Amino acid sequence: AKKQGKNRFYWFEAPMENELRFRNELEAGIRRGISRGEFVPFYEQQIDLESGTLTGFEMLARWQSPELGTVGPDIFIPIAEEIGVISEMSERLMAQAFEDAKNWDQDLTLSVNISPVQMRDPWFAQKILKLMVQHNFPPNRLDIEITESCLHENLGMVRSMITSLRNQGVHISLDDFGTGYSSLSQLRSLPFDRLKIDRSFIHEMREEDHGTKLVDAIISMSDGLKLPITAEGIENAEVLEALKKMGSMKGQGYHYGRPEPADMVLERLKTAGM
Ligand code: C2E
Ligand code: CA
Ligand code: CA
Ligand code: CA
């Protein structure tokens, strides 16, 4: 009986132990990676669909881990939030992005993604503004993307943050629109500058007529609210043409290119004379 118990212990506990060890190593790796500068910004082009001109870039974080290779944000952002290092990580990434963007044409904007966890910090707006002063980065080139899940937080606080950032010239976009639970009245009551239609809606456009109608409805609604739009996840020319028929908007996606590191972006801009 004793032996059987031991066996059971072995079979059931070992995989969980390994999982826990991996998780602990991942957490330690993330902490270490922050101080070693392993988290770097990649950039995705944002395009005015009608003219086809580049308007700016969205910064997307990558972890260049010596052990794991290049790791995407869907893996490390939730962990960074959980272990309380998301603000430090984000501020370092933003500082780097401000420096990168200073080498671009001064008309090009920089979009950054902000975690709902960061929005809980009452000093969030002040921190961002201070960072821009430190790096001599003009606030009107910055676009902060917040998701609908931020709207579940203290709404009064979110509103005053948005307001103080906008008063300094920073633009605020509502990201991943349609995937959360924001109500139309919230959309109207918060002073957003732009709405980003989630790529899941854009991807359904090619599959069925229904998907196209839904995107069309979102665009009509934003027109009514006088909110400019960005469509994310444009993967091919057919979707691009369909969107262009629906109105004027910005867009991004693999059709225009994959997110790239700063040096590749700079090379591309130099070739284009920007
Ligand atoms: P997001 O803000 O919705 O960013 C767009 C994501 O879609 C990016 O994934 C991008 O690489 C991917 N994408 C772009 N074009 C296409 C396309 O045509 N087709 C498809 N299938 N995908 C496309 P990525 O870089 O893995 O980022 C995932 C998410 O991680 C982002 O979603 C954003 O919410 C979050 N994220 C990225 N960087 C940061 C950061 O610095 N801070 C925070 N808090 N979140 C970040
Ligand atoms: Ca985004
Ligand atoms: Ca999205
Ligand atoms: Ca997202």
Side-chain angles (χ1 to χ4, degrees), residues 45 49 233-238 240-241 252-258:
Q45 302 175 54
L49 296 193
I234 302 174
E235 289 185 351
N236 57 56
E238 294 78 68
L240 170 62
E241 289 314 313
Q252 51 186 99
Y254 295 165
H255 176 70
Y256 294 106
R258 301 263 167 168

mmCIF file of all heavy atoms in Angstrom, residues 45 49 233-238 240-241 252-258:
data_model
loop_
_atom_site.group_PDB
_atom_site.id
_atom_site.type_symbol
_atom_site.label_atom_id
_atom_site.label_comp_id
_atom_site.label_asym_id
_atom_site.label_seq_id
_atom_site.Cartn_x
_atom_site.Cartn_y
_atom_site.Cartn_z
ATOM 1 N N GLN A 45 3.195 49.488 -38.885
ATOM 2 C CA GLN A 45 2.769 50.663 -39.653
ATOM 3 C C GLN A 45 1.275 50.935 -39.494
ATOM 4 O O GLN A 45 0.470 50.012 -39.487
ATOM 5 C CB GLN A 45 3.035 50.450 -41.142
ATOM 6 C CG GLN A 45 4.460 50.167 -41.504
ATOM 7 C CD GLN A 45 4.600 49.846 -42.986
ATOM 8 O OE1 GLN A 45 4.176 50.614 -43.847
ATOM 9 N NE2 GLN A 45 5.190 48.709 -43.275
ATOM 10 N N LEU A 49 -5.987 54.752 -45.201
ATOM 11 C CA LEU A 49 -6.363 53.801 -46.250
ATOM 12 C C LEU A 49 -6.590 54.461 -47.596
ATOM 13 O O LEU A 49 -6.196 53.925 -48.636
ATOM 14 C CB LEU A 49 -7.622 53.013 -45.838
ATOM 15 C CG LEU A 49 -7.515 52.107 -44.610
ATOM 16 C CD1 LEU A 49 -8.719 51.181 -44.537
ATOM 17 C CD2 LEU A 49 -6.221 51.299 -44.613
ATOM 18 N N GLY A 233 -5.731 44.486 -38.321
ATOM 19 C CA GLY A 233 -5.756 43.117 -38.842
ATOM 20 C C GLY A 233 -6.122 43.014 -40.315
ATOM 21 O O GLY A 233 -6.707 42.016 -40.746
ATOM 22 N N ILE A 234 -5.790 44.054 -41.115
ATOM 23 C CA ILE A 234 -6.035 43.968 -42.568
ATOM 24 C C ILE A 234 -4.972 43.053 -43.170
ATOM 25 O O ILE A 234 -3.790 43.355 -43.124
ATOM 26 C CB ILE A 234 -5.969 45.367 -43.220
ATOM 27 C CG1 ILE A 234 -6.993 46.298 -42.563
ATOM 28 C CG2 ILE A 234 -6.187 45.272 -44.730
ATOM 29 C CD1 ILE A 234 -6.901 47.741 -43.029
ATOM 30 N N GLU A 235 -5.409 41.925 -43.691
ATOM 31 C CA GLU A 235 -4.443 40.931 -44.169
ATOM 32 C C GLU A 235 -4.351 40.827 -45.679
ATOM 33 O O GLU A 235 -3.414 40.218 -46.193
ATOM 34 C CB GLU A 235 -4.765 39.547 -43.563
ATOM 35 C CG GLU A 235 -4.460 39.487 -42.075
ATOM 36 C CD GLU A 235 -4.650 38.106 -41.473
ATOM 37 O OE1 GLU A 235 -5.177 37.211 -42.167
ATOM 38 O OE2 GLU A 235 -4.288 37.937 -40.294
ATOM 39 N N ASN A 236 -5.321 41.366 -46.398
ATOM 40 C CA ASN A 236 -5.258 41.248 -47.862
ATOM 41 C C ASN A 236 -5.966 42.405 -48.558
ATOM 42 O O ASN A 236 -6.678 43.194 -47.941
ATOM 43 C CB ASN A 236 -5.837 39.899 -48.314
ATOM 44 C CG ASN A 236 -7.259 39.726 -47.817
ATOM 45 O OD1 ASN A 236 -8.124 40.565 -48.090
ATOM 46 N ND2 ASN A 236 -7.503 38.667 -47.062
ATOM 47 N N ALA A 237 -5.755 42.470 -49.886
ATOM 48 C CA ALA A 237 -6.251 43.578 -50.696
ATOM 49 C C ALA A 237 -7.781 43.600 -50.766
ATOM 50 O O ALA A 237 -8.378 44.679 -50.846
ATOM 51 C CB ALA A 237 -5.661 43.498 -52.099
ATOM 52 N N GLU A 238 -8.416 42.439 -50.702
ATOM 53 C CA GLU A 238 -9.879 42.384 -50.799
ATOM 54 C C GLU A 238 -10.520 43.102 -49.609
ATOM 55 O O GLU A 238 -11.429 43.913 -49.775
ATOM 56 C CB GLU A 238 -10.395 40.936 -50.842
ATOM 57 C CG GLU A 238 -10.015 40.143 -52.086
ATOM 58 C CD GLU A 238 -8.586 39.639 -52.053
ATOM 59 O OE1 GLU A 238 -8.298 38.756 -51.216
ATOM 60 O OE2 GLU A 238 -7.756 40.119 -52.847
ATOM 61 N N LEU A 240 -9.069 45.279 -47.694
ATOM 62 C CA LEU A 240 -8.704 46.693 -47.801
ATOM 63 C C LEU A 240 -9.677 47.438 -48.715
ATOM 64 O O LEU A 240 -10.185 48.511 -48.359
ATOM 65 C CB LEU A 240 -7.269 46.814 -48.325
ATOM 66 C CG LEU A 240 -6.798 48.208 -48.727
ATOM 67 C CD1 LEU A 240 -6.828 49.157 -47.535
ATOM 68 C CD2 LEU A 240 -5.387 48.155 -49.312
ATOM 69 N N GLU A 241 -9.973 46.857 -49.885
ATOM 70 C CA GLU A 241 -10.884 47.512 -50.833
ATOM 71 C C GLU A 241 -12.286 47.646 -50.249
ATOM 72 O O GLU A 241 -12.933 48.688 -50.391
ATOM 73 C CB GLU A 241 -10.924 46.746 -52.163
ATOM 74 C CG GLU A 241 -9.652 46.872 -52.998
ATOM 75 C CD GLU A 241 -9.131 48.307 -53.114
ATOM 76 O OE1 GLU A 241 -9.933 49.224 -53.392
ATOM 77 O OE2 GLU A 241 -7.917 48.517 -52.892
ATOM 78 N N GLN A 252 -4.239 49.029 -40.303
ATOM 79 C CA GLN A 252 -2.947 48.375 -40.099
ATOM 80 C C GLN A 252 -3.143 46.876 -40.247
ATOM 81 O O GLN A 252 -4.265 46.393 -40.208
ATOM 82 C CB GLN A 252 -2.366 48.744 -38.729
ATOM 83 C CG GLN A 252 -3.309 48.549 -37.559
ATOM 84 C CD GLN A 252 -2.725 49.083 -36.235
ATOM 85 O OE1 GLN A 252 -3.049 50.175 -35.801
ATOM 86 N NE2 GLN A 252 -1.881 48.275 -35.611
ATOM 87 N N GLY A 253 -2.072 46.155 -40.429
ATOM 88 C CA GLY A 253 -2.183 44.709 -40.575
ATOM 89 C C GLY A 253 -1.085 44.142 -41.448
ATOM 90 O O GLY A 253 -0.292 44.885 -42.024
ATOM 91 N N TYR A 254 -1.065 42.820 -41.542
ATOM 92 C CA TYR A 254 0.009 42.131 -42.256
ATOM 93 C C TYR A 254 0.040 42.483 -43.739
ATOM 94 O O TYR A 254 1.070 42.323 -44.385
ATOM 95 C CB TYR A 254 -0.118 40.605 -42.078
ATOM 96 C CG TYR A 254 0.063 40.130 -40.661
ATOM 97 C CD1 TYR A 254 -0.322 38.851 -40.267
ATOM 98 C CD2 TYR A 254 0.630 40.970 -39.693
ATOM 99 C CE1 TYR A 254 -0.147 38.409 -38.964
ATOM 100 C CE2 TYR A 254 0.804 40.541 -38.382
ATOM 101 C CZ TYR A 254 0.406 39.254 -38.017
ATOM 102 O OH TYR A 254 0.580 38.817 -36.738
ATOM 103 N N HIS A 255 -1.088 42.954 -44.292
ATOM 104 C CA HIS A 255 -1.095 43.407 -45.678
ATOM 105 C C HIS A 255 -0.041 44.499 -45.890
ATOM 106 O O HIS A 255 0.590 44.570 -46.946
ATOM 107 C CB HIS A 255 -2.483 43.941 -46.042
ATOM 108 C CG HIS A 255 -2.574 44.518 -47.427
ATOM 109 N ND1 HIS A 255 -2.503 43.731 -48.569
ATOM 110 C CD2 HIS A 255 -2.714 45.790 -47.872
ATOM 111 C CE1 HIS A 255 -2.606 44.502 -49.626
ATOM 112 N NE2 HIS A 255 -2.729 45.759 -49.241
ATOM 113 N N TYR A 256 0.154 45.329 -44.890
ATOM 114 C CA TYR A 256 1.130 46.417 -44.978
ATOM 115 C C TYR A 256 2.491 45.998 -44.453
ATOM 116 O O TYR A 256 3.494 46.645 -44.741
ATOM 117 C CB TYR A 256 0.635 47.634 -44.203
ATOM 118 C CG TYR A 256 -0.592 48.255 -44.814
ATOM 119 C CD1 TYR A 256 -1.837 48.109 -44.225
ATOM 120 C CD2 TYR A 256 -0.500 48.984 -45.999
ATOM 121 C CE1 TYR A 256 -2.968 48.673 -44.790
ATOM 122 C CE2 TYR A 256 -1.617 49.557 -46.569
ATOM 123 C CZ TYR A 256 -2.846 49.393 -45.963
ATOM 124 O OH TYR A 256 -3.958 49.954 -46.539
ATOM 125 N N GLY A 257 2.519 44.983 -43.643
ATOM 126 C CA GLY A 257 3.799 44.512 -43.106
ATOM 127 C C GLY A 257 3.678 44.028 -41.679
ATOM 128 O O GLY A 257 2.738 44.382 -40.970
ATOM 129 N N ARG A 258 4.639 43.208 -41.288
ATOM 130 C CA ARG A 258 4.718 42.701 -39.918
ATOM 131 C C ARG A 258 5.392 43.748 -39.032
ATOM 132 O O ARG A 258 6.127 44.595 -39.540
ATOM 133 C CB ARG A 258 5.571 41.421 -39.903
ATOM 134 C CG ARG A 258 5.042 40.322 -40.791
ATOM 135 C CD ARG A 258 4.234 39.353 -39.990
ATOM 136 N NE ARG A 258 3.462 38.476 -40.878
ATOM 137 C CZ ARG A 258 2.843 37.384 -40.474
ATOM 138 N NH1 ARG A 258 2.884 37.036 -39.200
ATOM 139 N NH2 ARG A 258 2.149 36.649 -41.309
#
